Amino acid sequence: MISWKNLDTLDAYQELAKVTSVNLVEAMTGENGAERVKKYSVSMAGGLTYNYAAKQIDDEVLAVLAKLADEAQLTEKFEALYNGEVINTGEKRRVLHHLTRGQLGEAVVVEGVDKRTFYAEQQRKYTELANKVHAGEIVNATGEKFTTVVQIGIGGSDLGPRAMYLALENWAKKNNTLKMEAKFISNVDPDDAAAVLDSIDVAHSIFVLVSKSGTTLETLTNESFVKDALAKAGLDASKHMVAVTSETSPLAKSDDYLAAFFMDDYIGGRYSSTSAVGGVILSLAFGPEVFEEFLAGAAAEDVLSKNKNMLENPAMLDALIGVYERNVLGYPSTAVLPYSQALGRFPAHLQQLDMESNGKSVNRFGETVDYPTGPVIFGEPGTNGQHSFYQLLHQGTNIVPLQFVGFKNNQMGVDVVIQDSTSQQKLCANVAAQIVAFACGKEDENPNKRFEGGRPSSIIIGDQLTPASLGALLSHFENKVMFQGFVWNVNSFDQEGVQLGKVLAKRVLAHETDGALKMYSELLDI
């Protein structure tokens, strides 16, 4: 039987707090470091490997983390989740995003509907749409093919799909699978929509409106912006737009759209990239076959996350090391550092995924917790970040754990040799050097040039960023966040923290303000 307990009530946590911490400088220097790099590594799906040699762990720490995983019942809680138990206690909902890419356990039937079948049917429908658009069977008013797809959404309806599109855009160009260019409109700032609309030919563009409720203020505002542009071009908006929404939303059966594809309340926005939210635009942009490969990579990584052996479960292992860093070593943030330009927006997606999920100060029962929960997440691609915030990471007063991602080969297959090495070799040399520099540091008589080291990191390494490896990477972090939420006993699947500002904004627009809210409204000339 599953029991939900706060972290600080678990015996393994008390034991973990007493374990002698690892001196990372000693552990990673010389042959000690070489042995650790070979030893502390686990295979992932999609041809990826998670290497955690430069973390402040040893066999003793890992043994206690394994006890913590067992006592916190992480495997059992994941099983309950994918078998359809109501895990989202705040909203009294199931959590079913794993079913968008595969069946991990028992059939989940809700009100007579098999949810895996439901999600597969939506995929079949938007696959058909994409194929018809690509074949010229669905065309614009003048009978010409659509060449651009534009997603209108915000939060999880934008960050994940945008990051996934950018991650695969160059791969698709190289592999001749880029069917349509994709653009994204998210911010209610009118400059966002205006800039995108100014950069495209609206007559040859199809728009994907994404709003689960059908009432999201920013998204509906931007939809009106787009409809106005289409009307000014003399175009029928209903022939240029499709909707991704819930079956009960006002968009579901509207004549304003060519078609509607459904998600439901069991898939949170930040977990929706493998649902119709990501599926429609990625299938239109790259072709349904590429999206299938992406789903397969995610599904394969999900299977690994079922493994009860922590050392063979990369997402669980990553999660527990993160808990150790947050709750025992006291590190408040984590930097995500992809050494891949294609993953330029991946840290932004992980910011929402992690911070919206585990940025909670009450447990699943609404009781205040007395320990830190989710860390602050930030990041930029290497090597750009090295010339930006790495100064603080190397020599600042806070120790920030690092999560690197790197690939042996680039996507475009274009490179040059300069000073006896290629650009890709220089990129990989930089990430290897950074890991060791952060861990080992450097002695120097000049304090300004002294690096204390002891800065922990992990790296996920792959051969190349492909649809399958991207799917595995996405699943890894989704499941890592889930496992951490289980350990902290928080609900990782609601987001009440985003609601208050929305409510107050509506008051401002209705001119129902007083006090400071009224004064700020006047300052901003609202």
Side-chain angles (χ1 to χ4, degrees), residues 305-326:
S305 296
K306 294 173 62 176
N307 198 320
K308 193 171 181 63
N309 182 349
M310 180 194 73
L311 296 179
E312 296 176 1
N313 185 329
M316 184 186 293
L317 179 59
D318 194 0
L320 287 161
I321 293 173
V323 169
Y324 177 58
E325 291 174 331
R326 186 78 174 101

Side-chain angles (χ1 to χ4, degrees), residues 183 185 189-200 225:
K183 301 278 189 175
I185 298 173
D189 181 343
D191 285 345
D192 188 17
V196 171
L197 291 168
D198 190 54
S199 72
I200 63 174
F225 213 113

Side-chain angles (χ1 to χ4, degrees), residues 257-324:
Y257 309 100
L258 280 166
F261 307 98
F262 301 131
M263 55 191 300
D264 56 33
D265 288 336
Y266 306 132
I267 298 178
R270 56 195 177 276
Y271 295 96
S272 66
S273 292
T274 53
S275 75
V277 173
V280 175
I281 188 166
L282 296 179
S283 294
L284 284 166
F286 304 132
E289 298 80 9
V290 171
F291 187 65
E292 282 275 7
E293 293 175 33
F294 171 65
L295 292 181
E301 189 65 23
D302 287 343
V303 172
L304 292 180
S305 296
K306 294 173 62 176
N307 198 320
K308 193 171 181 63
N309 182 349
M310 180 194 73
L311 296 179
E312 296 176 1
N313 185 329
M316 184 186 293
L317 179 59
D318 194 0
L320 287 161
I321 293 173
V323 169
Y324 177 58

Side-chain angles (χ1 to χ4, degrees), residues 164-183:
M164 301 309 121
Y165 171 76
L166 292 174
L168 295 177
E169 183 180 28
N170 284 334
W171 179 91
K173 288 177 180 177
K174 181 64 178 178
N175 289 275
N176 298 315
T177 66
L178 185 65
K179 309 290 185 180
M180 305 172 71
E181 184 183 22
K183 301 278 189 175

Side-chain angles (χ1 to χ4, degrees), residues 42 62 64 68 79 93 122 151 154 159 171 220 222 246 309 323 416 435 443 455 458 461 464 469 494:
V42 57
L62 291 171
V64 182
L68 181 61
E79 184 177 4
R93 293 172 179 168
Q122 298 309 306
Q151 182 123 318
I154 197 166
L159 287 165
W171 179 91
L220 295 185
N222 281 326
S246 68
N309 182 349
V323 169
V416 292
I435 293 171
E443 289 293 332
R455 313 274 166 145
S458 63
I461 302 172
Q464 187 186 54
S469 61
D494 65 3

Side-chain angles (χ1 to χ4, degrees), residues 7 35 43 63 77 96 100 116 119 137 168 172 186 228 234 276 312 317 322 378 425 427 444 456 459 471:
L7 171 63
E35 289 302 315
S43 295
K77 288 170 182 174
L96 302 182
T100 61
R116 171 60 189 154
Y119 299 136
E137 296 176 35
L168 295 177
S186 59
D228 182 64
E312 296 176 1
L317 179 59
F378 68 96
Q425 288 172 327
L427 180 69
D444 198 291
I459 183 169

